[in-house]
Amino acid sequence: MSLYGLVICGGESTRMGTDKSLLVYDQKPQYEHVADLLVPLCERVIISCNAEQFKSFHTRYHKLEDQPAFAGAGPMTGLLSVMETLPDNDFLVAGCDYPFLSSDEMANFLHSIEKDLPAAAFYNDEGFYEPLLGWYSKSIGKALKEAFAAGRHSLQHFLRANGAGKYRPLSQKTMISVDTPEDFRAAKRALDINDMQNGEQLDNHP
């Protein structure tokens, strides 16, 4: 059974005022950066796009446009679209608005998953899942369609209803979501400081 990576980009980014997937923290658009993080862990990585993004994104990764049949369901739209197109795969899902995400954290997450579960996701201290940092098995496709048809479009509620696994990351910072221009500036400053500190450590290494 193959594991595919899925970068979810199709949100409206209304609070940010610009497409969050195109924000640049370090030399490349965030959707490309997140895809790069998933490459070591997955057989293939797919960019989930809305119609406008599908036309404008220029990437070496395979793009998949949201299907009109699943429109209006938020992040569930992207997940349903890819599961309808590629029903025989499990998916490691990452949203485009988590600038502190790392391949190591995603690898730890994968190793923690009980494989008899239908899905699993990062879980925060407030008792909520982060559905866009998750793993969804192909076995959950039918239940996902049924939830959509019934008007239950919340992935948070879907994960709870299906007994999804809970992963508490090594660093809570991993789950910081950037939704506003102020969030973006703060995250970029923090990442720049971290890069400077890492550079100094390398310079001082004997």
Side-chain angles (χ1 to χ4, degrees), residues 81-202:
S81 296
V82 76
M83 287 190 140
E84 180 75 4
T85 305
L86 300 164
D88 297 324
N89 300 280
D90 295 342
F91 291 94
L92 180 63
V93 173
C96 65
D97 48 358
Y98 298 96
F100 299 102
L101 186 64
S102 69
S103 284
D104 287 346
E105 192 74 85
M106 292 301 275
N108 287 333
F109 168 55
L110 279 178
H111 292 149
S112 77
I113 296 169
E114 297 178 28
K115 297 304 181 182
D116 59 337
L117 291 174
F122 284 51
Y123 197 77
N124 65 33
D125 289 340
E126 286 73 44
F128 292 95
Y129 287 103
E130 291 286 335
L132 295 189
L133 293 174
W135 169 82
Y136 296 83
S137 74
K138 67 176 185 178
S139 66
I140 211 165
K142 180 180 178 182
L144 196 66
K145 285 184 182 178
E146 290 173 350
F148 173 80
R152 299 190 299 270
H153 297 165
S154 168
L155 284 176
Q156 179 76 223
H157 294 159
F158 179 80
L159 290 170
R160 290 184 184 280
N162 286 274
K166 301 171 183 176
Y167 173 71
R168 290 175 171 82
L170 301 178
S171 172
Q172 288 286 307
K173 184 183 286 189
T174 302
M175 295 185 288
I176 292 177
S177 174
V178 169
D179 299 309
T180 67
E182 292 76 20
D183 291 343
F184 170 63
R185 288 191 289 269
K188 189 163 177 55
R189 281 195 301 270
L191 290 166
D192 288 344
I193 291 171
N194 186 61
D195 288 343
M196 288 176 60
Q197 292 173 340
N198 288 338
E200 290 173 359
Q201 290 173 359
L202 288 174

